Amino acid sequence: MTEEQIRAVTIGELKPSSRPIFLADYDPEWPLQFEREADRIRTALGEAALQVEHVGSTSVPGLAAKPVIDIVLVVTDSALEEAYVLALESAGYVLRIREPDWFKHRMLNRQDTNVNLHVFSRGCAEVDRMLLFRERLRANESDRRHYERAKRELARQDWKYVQNYADAKSPVVEEILARAGSDTSDEL
């Protein structure tokens, strides 16, 4: 994404990265942090939380990651912010990203923990893609090592915005997803 694109979807102040990307070795506390946040989300939203999943590198045992817990929340329609944002704000979350043209994605953060809460609508293909990627990295050591090497190499570079680092990982993510998809179709 360009700076203009990042600015267009960001709610509030756009903050350039003030330090290099930090990758921590896998921490067994990460799943526990996810569970605490998942409970908080389910308590805040009740039945409106259709699915809550731990995604991203912190969800993959043995994988180094930025120490930020990525969570996918599926609601009926993520564009209907009134159905979930106020309840999540009451639970300490702040709406930071609104991407109506990319799967109606919304992202909220918490001030007191490193959490990115990604909200998508029921039936969103991006949720399936994120879960497929997570499962592939959990199950395939070669792809997990390949992804970690790419992340470490990219983390050594200077990035104005963390989003630029995330975007730079896209080619290796797509490569791994292509293998995961072909393995899945072979099983059918």
Side-chain angles (χ1 to χ4, degrees):
M1 290 177 108
T2 66
E3 183 170 348
E4 293 77 30
Q5 291 170 318
I6 295 169
R7 187 176 308 285
V9 300
T10 300
I11 299 165
E13 182 184 351
L14 181 60
K15 300 174 188 169
S17 184
S18 60
R19 52 190 174 311
I21 300 295
F22 171 70
L23 296 179
D25 288 335
Y26 180 77
D27 186 339
E29 283 292 311
W30 291 338
L32 303 173
Q33 291 173 6
F34 162 74
E35 287 301 332
R36 282 192 296 271
E37 289 304 313
D39 288 344
R40 188 184 317 233
I41 293 162
R42 289 183 189 106
T43 298
L45 295 180
E47 293 180 10
L50 303 178
Q51 186 176 359
V52 181
E53 296 280 350
H54 189 186
V55 296
S57 295
T58 61
S59 72
V60 181
L63 182 62
K66 289 190 296 37
V68 177
I69 306 301
D70 283 294
I71 300 173
V72 163
L73 167 64
V74 176
V75 296
T76 301
D77 185 349
S78 57
L80 299 176
E81 293 176 12
E82 62 274 11
Y84 63 91
V85 170
L86 187 57
L88 289 171
E89 286 175 343
S90 296
Y93 286 91
V94 177
L95 183 61
R96 293 287 296 142
I97 301 288
R98 180 183 290 123
E99 295 180 282
D101 297 331
W102 187 71
F103 301 105
K104 300 190 286 183
H105 173 248
R106 305 302 194 261
M107 188 185 74
L108 298 92
N109 297 121
R110 287 187 53 83
Q111 301 301 324
D112 61 345
T113 60
N114 284 329
V115 173
N116 288 332
L117 177 58
H118 303 275
V119 185
F120 295 101
S121 300
R122 179 192 341 241
C124 177
E126 182 61 13
V127 172
D128 295 337
R129 206 173 93 83
M130 292 170 90
L131 296 176
L132 177 63
F133 187 68
R134 176 191 72 190
E135 294 309 312
R136 176 65 178 205
L137 292 181
R138 284 178 174 176
N140 188 293
E141 184 178 350
S142 176
D143 279 340
R144 187 171 54 251
R145 284 195 320 263
H146 175 55
Y147 184 55
E148 184 170 326
R149 278 192 305 273
K151 287 172 35 147
R152 288 191 184 281
E153 182 178 309
L154 291 168
R156 286 191 287 271
Q157 299 177 30
D158 290 325
W159 302 100
K160 184 168 184 179
Y161 299 103
V162 174
Q163 182 62 49
N164 300 134
Y165 162 78
D167 291 344
K169 295 185 299 182
S170 293
V172 73
V173 169
E174 294 305 324
E175 175 189 330
I176 292 168
L177 281 168
R179 280 194 294 276
S182 67
D183 287 355
T184 302
S185 61
D186 289 346
E187 294 171 4
L188 298 177

